[in-house]
Amino acid sequence: MGYHPASLKSSNGVVLDKPGKPSYESPSSFRIIVLIRTISKVLERIIAARLLAAARLRGLLHPNQCGSLPGLSTYDACLTLTNNVRTLQRPRLKVSSLFLDIKAGFDNVDNKTLARILREGGIPPYLVSWVSSFLGERSCTLICQGAPGTPSPVNVGAPQGSPISPLLFLLYVTPLHFGSPRGLMISYVDDFALTVASLSYRGNIRWLQDLFDKLERMASRLGVSFSVAKTELIHSRTPSQRHSLKCVSPIQIKGELFHPGNSVRWLGYWFTPALDPAAHFSRRLALAQGAFALIPHLSPPSAGLPPYLCHRLASSLIAPILL
């Protein structure tokens, strides 16, 4: 108990490019997916189930953490945010939301820091020892064009592709969650949303800047940071405010100004200042129509795929986009 075999700590890392990047000259434009032995994944799932039960029993997971947990999805996170914004708007308060993303989250999980968090949280010693053994003394062989094909030691981070890594990361960043009067912090794995309400949007900007500074200081103690380039801001508006002047007050994050957007994409859902769902579904419908337009090219008259296969293909392409 409390030991992960050394023979299961070596893995292959497939280097994949992140889609939509303007340039692929930086290592940050790529993602490494770790291919782990099947027997190791079975063991990791067993430990993950035990660790999740122990963490929930001891209250180590914050109620506003929605990612990689059974029964919770991006839908829950987006619905919670929408409901919170509308609740804060009822007493005629101005509501603003700041969206943040942790930079290379899994890669910055420190073994000793995580072990301390688990130990102080009352996790059974054998689980703490197993986690330390699992994350320690790992090696990875990169698989890509031009790679030497030799194993390299990995001294920090949780392997992406492991069944237990998402849970370990959630436990690692739990200390970043703190309460705020007339506000809310929601996270989905490494995506954070800070929402505040006050009598003015300018007051929200000052409040969000203070919250971000506090959050950044807490994150630095864990050895993680937020990706400035992925920061987004939105000022929510009620239907009665649609004729009033829009607030264009930006927020300054690490010396960069971020102006409020007319639409913000978070966890695959498009938010607008009026929280109009039509903005999201119109985009999804356009994508579905584009996917459907490809089907006739695969089955021209008297050739191509049979009709029943076209129907299955259309369903498999369109349903995930619309849902």
Side-chain angles (χ1 to χ4, degrees), residues 43-279:
L43 177 58
E44 292 164 32
R45 287 192 177 276
I46 295 174
I47 297 296
R50 295 185 180 185
L51 182 58
L52 176 60
R56 283 181 165 171
L57 181 64
R58 292 160 178 81
L60 289 187
L61 292 170
H62 196 276
N64 292 337
Q65 287 181 292
C66 300
S68 302
L69 295 174
L72 295 175
S73 65
T74 57
Y75 175 80
D76 297 283
C78 294
L79 189 61
T80 300
L81 177 60
T82 301
N83 179 71
N84 180 74
V85 170
R86 288 176 173 165
T87 301
L88 292 173
Q89 287 176 333
R90 285 174 187 167
R92 298 184 180 278
L93 296 176
K94 311 294 185 182
V95 181
S96 303
S97 298
L98 183 67
F99 300 93
L100 305 168
D101 181 87
I102 294 181
K103 184 190 303 182
F106 284 32
D107 298 335
N108 291 311
V109 174
D110 181 71
N111 191 353
K112 294 182 179 179
T113 303
L114 178 59
R116 175 180 56 80
I117 293 173
L118 298 179
R119 194 161 40 245
E120 293 177 353
I123 297 297
Y126 83 92
L127 287 176
V128 179
S129 299
W130 185 91
V131 170
S132 297
S133 176
F134 171 72
L135 295 179
E137 299 179 352
R138 300 190 64 88
S139 63
C140 183
T141 303
L142 295 182
I143 300 178
C144 64
Q145 186 177 3
T150 56
S152 301
V154 180
N155 300 319
V156 68
Q160 293 197 39
S162 166
I164 198 174
S165 290
L167 177 58
L168 296 180
F169 181 76
L170 289 182
L171 293 169
Y172 191 74
V173 299
T174 296
L176 297 182
H177 286 264
F178 54 86
S180 175
R182 287 191 305 187
L184 180 71
M185 179 190 299
I186 306 174
S187 72
Y188 190 92
V189 190
D190 56 354
D191 293 296
F192 281 68
L194 303 179
T195 301
V196 298
S198 68
L199 296 176
S200 68
Y201 289 118
R202 293 185 182 274
N204 290 346
I205 293 296
R206 291 191 295 268
W207 195 352
L208 285 172
Q209 287 179 330
D210 292 340
L211 289 179
F212 176 80
D213 292 340
K214 179 180 179 180
L215 189 61
E216 188 180 31
R217 289 193 299 269
M218 298 173 66
S220 63
R221 301 190 192 106
L222 298 176
V224 298
S225 61
F226 292 92
S227 176
V228 178
K230 296 182 179 180
T231 302
E232 292 187 278
L233 172 69
I234 191 170
H235 295 311
S236 300
R237 300 162 61 86
T238 62
S240 60
Q241 297 171 339
R242 63 181 181 272
H243 298 302
S244 60
L245 293 177
K246 293 184 179 180
C247 178
V248 295
S249 298
I251 187 171
Q252 185 173 6
I253 301 294
K254 293 184 178 180
E256 293 190 28
L257 289 178
F258 293 90
H259 295 269
N262 294 323
S263 62
V264 171
R265 186 173 183 266
W266 188 62
L267 303 181
Y269 188 88
W270 288 93
F271 289 90
T272 63
L275 297 178
D276 183 8

